[in-house]
Amino acid sequence: MFGECHAHVLMNGTNYRQAVLQHREKPDEAAVRACLEKYQEAEVHFVRDGGDPYGVSKLAARLAPEYGIDYRTPIFAVHKNGHYGSIVGRGFDNLKEFHQRVVEAKKEGADFIKIMTTGLLDFRDHGKVTGTPLDAEEVREMVHIAHEEGFAVMSHTNGVYGVKAAIEAGVDSLEHGNYMDEEAISMLADSHTVWVPTLVTVRNLIGAGRFEDAVLRPIIRQAEKMVSLAYQKKAKVAVGSDAGAYMVPHGTAVRQEYEAFCQILGNTTEVKDWLYSGEQEIRERFRRK
Ligand SMILES: [Zn+2]
């Protein structure tokens, strides 16, 4: 089975607020163990977390070997204060503070650095991403600082401007990447960045009632087009579901994400090998040096 290249052990796939209440005072070990068991049952032996502010992924990293899981964590994600990202990590105001966050992550045992460079999909306004993206120059400096400290960088990024800025900055993986265009995919293919499109975060919302399907379908179609282009151009792409997000279950979402690729590109050995090689890149780079 594929590994899970994007998960949040903190979140439970159903109720974010409840998950926070459960872990806020102190990470709930029973819940973390139950989550790791789901990966074990699904025969998923590699999990890369996207971080949380409560130390849940830090605890998961300590327990994961008991479940035969190679688990990698950034401990927390790093966002610029006033921009999206506080739900998964710690903030900074300037690059000096960003560097301090990187040093903190290192002290706490991070395997890599997770950064937030843009907001989320805006489901009320097709084609738009919430908030303002970080400036390309700032993203470049952030990635440089993290690399200098010996870390690979996982970047939460949506929208054409943000995606191009992240790729140019040399991020090691690009998470979500909704609303790219053909030029962005060409840049991706010419770079060392691995794209983790987290397709099921939108696909699993169909019929769930939270958003209208008519709003979701164009986003899904657009992602399908970009995934097909990425495959044609042989960009690096890996399977990661954002497990823990609403309607995205731990363990089994890995298969759902893989099946989404098969639906788009065909269920072939070429597709499987292509995705395995993307995962291999992530496994090699996102480890403590
Ligand atoms: Zn995530």
Side-chain angles (χ1 to χ4, degrees):
M1 196 49 202
F2 284 96
E4 170 60 272
C5 287
H6 189 141
H8 297 270
V9 169
L10 161 71
M11 303 175 199
N12 58 27
T14 51
N15 189 325
Y16 174 73
R17 233 170 304 159
Q18 183 205 19
V20 168
L21 285 175
Q22 189 168 25
H23 293 287
R24 197 169 50 190
E25 294 301 318
K26 179 172 167 289
D28 182 334
E29 182 169 330
V32 172
R33 286 188 181 278
C35 179
L36 293 170
E37 267 167 30
K38 286 182 189 150
Y39 285 98
Q40 197 177 34
E41 278 164 26
E43 296 179 17
V44 173
H45 305 295
F46 174 77
V47 178
R48 186 179 64 145
D49 205 286
D52 70 84
Y54 308 109
V56 177
S57 77
K58 191 176 178 176
L59 175 61
R62 187 161 63 72
L63 302 176
E66 293 178 37
Y67 299 83
I69 297 169
D70 178 353
Y71 179 91
R72 314 282 176 84
T73 176
I75 308 290
F76 52 85
V78 188
H79 68 279
K80 188 165 186 182
N81 289 326
H83 292 256
Y84 175 72
S86 59
I87 71 162
V88 284
R90 299 185 194 166
F92 69 93
D93 282 320
N94 52 54
L95 288 168
K96 194 171 163 236
E97 280 181 21
F98 175 78
H99 192 188
Q100 284 167 0
R101 297 293 93 81
V102 172
V103 170
E104 284 166 21
K106 186 181 257 181
K107 280 202 189 114
E108 293 184 36
D111 298 299
F112 60 92
I113 299 299
K114 163 91 179 284
I115 62 172
M116 316 294 288
T117 75
T118 72
L120 301 164
L121 280 180
D122 189 344
F123 287 113
R124 282 157 308 180
D125 197 352
H126 180 65
K128 294 265 161 46
V129 174
T130 64
T132 328
L134 298 194
D135 183 72
E137 191 49 45
E138 187 160 42
V139 176
R140 185 191 301 277
E141 289 297 326
M142 289 160 66
V143 173
H144 180 70
I145 289 166
H147 281 166
E148 284 289 299
E149 290 290 344
F151 288 114
V153 176
M154 174 186 195
S155 181
H156 163 108
T157 305
N158 285 304
V160 171
Y161 175 83
V163 165
K164 288 179 178 171
I167 296 169
E168 276 177 348
V171 301
D172 297 273
S173 80
L174 176 81
E175 310 301 308
H176 318 303
N178 289 289
Y179 302 140
M180 279 199 240
D181 60 11
E182 181 160 4
E183 198 188 338
I185 295 288
S186 296
M187 285 174 65
L188 185 72
D190 291 337
S191 75
H192 77 155
T193 304
V194 184
W195 180 29
V196 182
T198 65
L199 301 166
V200 295
T201 53
V202 184
R203 294 167 85 92
N204 286 6
L205 297 177
I206 290 282
R210 183 176 279 201
F211 302 103
E212 278 177 43
D213 290 359
V215 170
L216 302 171
R217 299 244 183 243
I219 301 170
I220 292 169
R221 268 198 302 274
Q222 158 76 359
E224 289 177 349
K225 248 167 71 184
M226 292 304 117
V227 163
S228 300
L229 269 176
Y231 182 58
Q232 276 167 34
K233 293 177 190 280
K234 293 288 169 259
K236 297 173 185 66
V237 174
V239 172
S241 71
D242 211 359
Y246 186 59
M247 300 295 291
V248 185
H250 286 291
T252 49
V254 177
R255 180 166 290 279
Q256 295 174 353
E257 182 75 13
Y258 172 54
E259 282 167 359
F261 280 106
C262 291
Q263 276 170 22
I264 299 165
L265 303 170
N267 186 354
T268 66
T269 318
E270 285 75 20
V271 169
K272 202 174 199 174
D273 289 348
W274 176 60
L275 293 168
Y276 268 124
S277 65
E279 178 178 323
Q280 207 46 44
E281 291 277 341
I282 284 180
R283 284 177 181 245
E284 276 164 26
R285 274 190 253 159
F286 287 77
R287 62 167 86 239
R288 236 169 306 165
K289 307 284 180 326

